[in-house]
Amino acid sequence: MNVLVWLAAILFILMILIGGKKGARSFISLFLNFGVLLLTIIFMTDPNINPIILTLIACAVISCINLFYINEVNSKTITAFISTIITIVILLFFIEIVSENTKIQGFGEEEIEELGVFSLYIGVNFVKIGAAVIIMSTIGAITDVAISITSPMREIFYHNPSISRKDLFTFGLSIGRDILGTNTNTLFFAFFGGYLGLLLWFKDLSYSVDEIVNSKVFSAEMITIFCAGIGIALIIPIASWINAYYLVKTRENNKLSK
């Protein structure tokens, strides 16, 4: 417990020193997001609640915390929020289809031994739970990419107010291309970091490459990474177009009002 407190204190001090008030809000947002996730998990155990709808609501709340609470309400956060919600809705339908057809829901055989004493008949739809888990794993990366695109687009627009909508959209795509690879690789290495013990266990049990790739645990995580990558790729043109449309439309409305 003391280690957790010390690490949290060090993180808080560094975020204050580097980020100031925004750093403090970012630190508080960690606990707010944790509270949202905890409430989502609690409500998901109710068989009368649709996990997909619940996930959409949770993602909207998390997006509000990450965008509006940390960066305040402005044009860049509004367009980033709209882009995030559109991407999440598209991704949810896609992920639900993938989860149902790949049968990755539930637990893998490597996890059954620890769960043997528990009843698995809990009365919830594991296909929808699996889709919800994947989408919740991607929401952080999607909001991060959205604000990373809309923020510099707003800056270039203010420094060059006469820029066309097409050039502004192209600028957003250019930013997206720069961060696409790094964000996707971040998800990939996060998986290997979190499942390094499992991969070593596969090696000790002399699993072949085919057995590793076809195991439910490995496949579920790789599908999560691929779906998150698809979400990151989708948010780039969506956020770029919405932000370019919003900024140019605002400029045109201001000219008409004058």
Side-chain angles (χ1 to χ4, degrees):
M1 182 65 183
N2 289 334
V3 175
L4 294 177
V5 173
W6 275 107
L7 289 175
I10 292 171
L11 176 61
F12 178 70
I13 293 170
L14 289 174
M15 293 180 79
I16 290 291
L17 291 175
I18 297 172
K21 291 182 179 179
K22 187 173 288 188
R25 289 197 295 266
S26 299
F27 183 80
I28 295 172
S29 70
L30 295 174
F31 297 95
L32 295 176
N33 287 329
F34 176 76
V36 173
L37 291 174
L38 186 61
L39 286 174
T40 303
I41 293 171
I42 293 173
F43 285 119
M44 249 181 214
T45 58
D46 188 343
N48 297 317
I49 297 178
N50 190 326
I52 301 298
I53 302 299
L54 184 62
T55 301
L56 276 175
I57 296 172
C59 287
V61 175
I62 291 172
S63 298
C64 287
I65 294 172
N66 293 341
L67 295 172
F68 299 133
Y69 177 69
I70 296 176
N71 299 289
E72 301 179 348
V73 179
N74 48 57
S75 63
K76 65 181 180 182
T77 54
I78 292 173
T79 52
F81 176 76
I82 295 172
S83 305
T84 299
I85 296 302
I86 292 173
T87 305
I88 290 297
V89 171
I90 296 172
L91 208 57
L92 259 177
F93 289 108
F94 173 75
I95 289 174
E96 187 174 5
I97 294 171
V98 171
S99 299
E100 188 168 359
N101 285 280
T102 55
K103 309 298 181 184
I104 61 170
Q105 69 274 7
F107 305 97
E109 60 182 10
E110 294 82 7
E111 303 166 302
I112 292 298
E113 185 176 348
E114 291 83 358
L115 299 169
V117 297
F118 300 104
S119 173
L120 301 180
Y121 299 99
I122 58 177
V124 296
N125 189 326
F126 268 93
V127 174
K128 293 183 177 180
I129 293 292
V133 169
I134 295 174
I135 203 67
M136 294 294 281
S137 302
T138 66
I139 183 64
I142 290 173
T143 54
D144 179 57
V145 172
I147 195 66
S148 297
I149 291 174
T150 58
S151 182
M153 283 181 68
R154 190 178 73 158
E155 290 299 317
I156 195 67
F157 179 78
Y158 285 158
H159 286 86
N160 187 12
S162 60
I163 189 172
S164 66
R165 181 176 293 155
K166 181 180 178 181
D167 289 340
L168 196 58
F169 174 70
T170 303
F171 178 75
L173 289 180
S174 178
I175 298 170
R177 293 189 191 101
D178 291 336
I179 62 178
L180 176 61
T182 55
N183 277 271
T184 306
N185 277 287
T186 299
L187 296 170
F188 180 75
F189 288 116
F191 159 71
F192 275 97
Y195 280 83
L196 185 60
L198 179 64
L199 296 174
L200 292 174
W201 187 43
F202 281 156
K203 180 181 179 299
D204 290 339
L205 294 177
S206 300
Y207 271 44
S208 66
V209 175
D210 290 342
E211 289 173 326
I212 293 175
V213 172
N214 288 289
S215 65
K216 180 178 283 190
V217 175
F218 184 86
S219 298
E221 290 302 319
M222 291 306 297
I223 288 173
T224 300
I225 293 172
F226 290 142
C227 289
I230 292 170
I232 292 172
L234 281 175
I235 192 70
I236 292 172
I238 292 174
S240 299
W241 187 87
I242 290 176
N243 200 34
Y245 178 85
Y246 177 86
L247 292 172
V248 174
K249 189 69 175 178
T250 302
R251 181 183 65 193
E252 293 173 350
N253 290 337
N254 290 336
K255 287 181 179 179
L256 289 174
S257 62
K258 292 179 180 179

